Amino acid sequence: MINIKSQRELDKMRRAGEVVARVLHRMGEIVAPGITTAQLDKVAEEIIVKSGAIPSFKGFPCAYGGIDFPGSICASVNHVIIHGIPDGTTLNKGDIISIDVGAILEGYHADAARTFAVGEISEAAQKLIYHTEEAFNRGAAQAIEGNRVRDISFAVQEYAEKNGYSVVRDYVGHGVGREMHEDPSIPNFVGHEKGVRLSNGMTIAIEPMINIGTWKVKTLKDKWSVVTADGELSAHHENTLAITPNGPEILTRLY
Ligand code: MG
């Protein structure tokens, strides 16, 4: 059931991860007031294609009967949590934007997301972005052989809630590799199940989605954009990582 990757496969995933990491690095450089989310998407797609990779989100079928996903990134502004469709929306000073990117290289997927400030943002928004990344870090630190999925979930939820935030429950992290979504699911909250035991060679995407207000969500009429039910801000931080004898290795980060 659980995909254990060989060293050869891990090397391919490292290369796919580097493409995604480069896209996100570039996004951080060009996110600014005045740019549209469609412009960001175009730049991201160019980097992916020039790297010989395939944008994995583009053409992804909609779970709710909407159009196939038209972008190479998900661009989720302010109260949009995930799956925002890149379009003519112009970013304004004070916005936050979560950008999620997926790429396939040599048959292997990498998937990651960051939340960026658009110009100067409120202190509340800054803190949300900081704590969302830190919640990811706490979860990632538990991605070691012998632990269970629940250890990751607990670390993320405990950190987020201790700091006064809620964690999205309707969407979760996942195994990643030959497919964008593989077993196991990696929730950001603790449920009834312990989850599978983690072992070396597993590759997973840990992706806390952290809200200022309620954890409850709604899906917009476009059948893609998932927003906070109360309209409050949300942030997202995701990396693809490998569980290795040396600990968690983040594959979607530039070193
Ligand atoms: Mg993901």
Side-chain angles (χ1 to χ4, degrees), residues 117-139:
V118 182
E120 200 182 307
I121 60 172
S122 69
E123 198 183 325
Q126 285 175 38
K127 280 188 177 162
L128 174 67
I129 293 173
Y130 170 80
H131 288 303
T132 301
E133 179 169 357
E134 193 54 28
F136 165 84
N137 289 336
R138 302 296 173 106

Side-chain angles (χ1 to χ4, degrees), residues 125-238:
Q126 285 175 38
K127 280 188 177 162
L128 174 67
I129 293 173
Y130 170 80
H131 288 303
T132 301
E133 179 169 357
E134 193 54 28
F136 165 84
N137 289 336
R138 302 296 173 106
Q142 298 300 319
I144 48 178
E145 178 160 273
N147 271 358
R148 293 203 182 253
V149 166
R150 185 191 179 93
D151 295 308
I152 298 173
S153 309
F154 179 83
V156 170
Q157 182 177 25
E158 187 197 45
Y159 180 82
E161 292 184 352
K162 193 179 71 191
N163 284 284
Y165 300 104
S166 70
V167 295
V168 169
R169 295 167 186 228
D170 298 66
Y171 297 87
V172 297
H174 48 91
V176 53
R178 276 178 289 272
E179 306 288 338
M180 183 156 65
H181 299 120
E182 297 182 346
D183 285 337
S185 288
I186 316 281
N188 297 305
F189 63 97
V190 172
H192 299 301
E193 290 171 24
K194 280 193 283 193
V196 297
R197 209 175 273 287
L198 303 171
S199 40
N200 290 328
M202 283 175 68
T203 45
I204 57 176
I206 298 177
E207 51 175 318
M209 291 151 256
I210 305 292
N211 298 349
I212 283 186
T214 179
W215 56 268
K216 291 187 180 157
V217 308
K218 290 191 297 197
T219 305
L220 297 186
K221 282 202 196 81
D222 64 17
K223 299 192 195 265
W224 278 106
S225 309
V226 178
V227 303
T228 55
D230 57 8
E232 295 279 355
L233 292 180
S234 180
H236 184 198
H237 194 96
E238 174 181 24

Side-chain angles (χ1 to χ4, degrees), residues 80-124:
V80 185
I81 303 165
I82 48 168
H83 301 168
I85 297 176
D87 61 13
T89 303
T90 301
L91 298 183
N92 295 306
K93 184 180 145 195
D95 288 341
I96 63 172
I97 178 171
S98 303
I99 299 180
D100 197 341
V101 184
I104 312 165
L105 189 65
E106 301 172 71
Y108 287 82
H109 288 254
D111 182 7
R114 301 281 182 273
T115 301
F116 300 107
V118 182
E120 200 182 307
I121 60 172
S122 69
E123 198 183 325

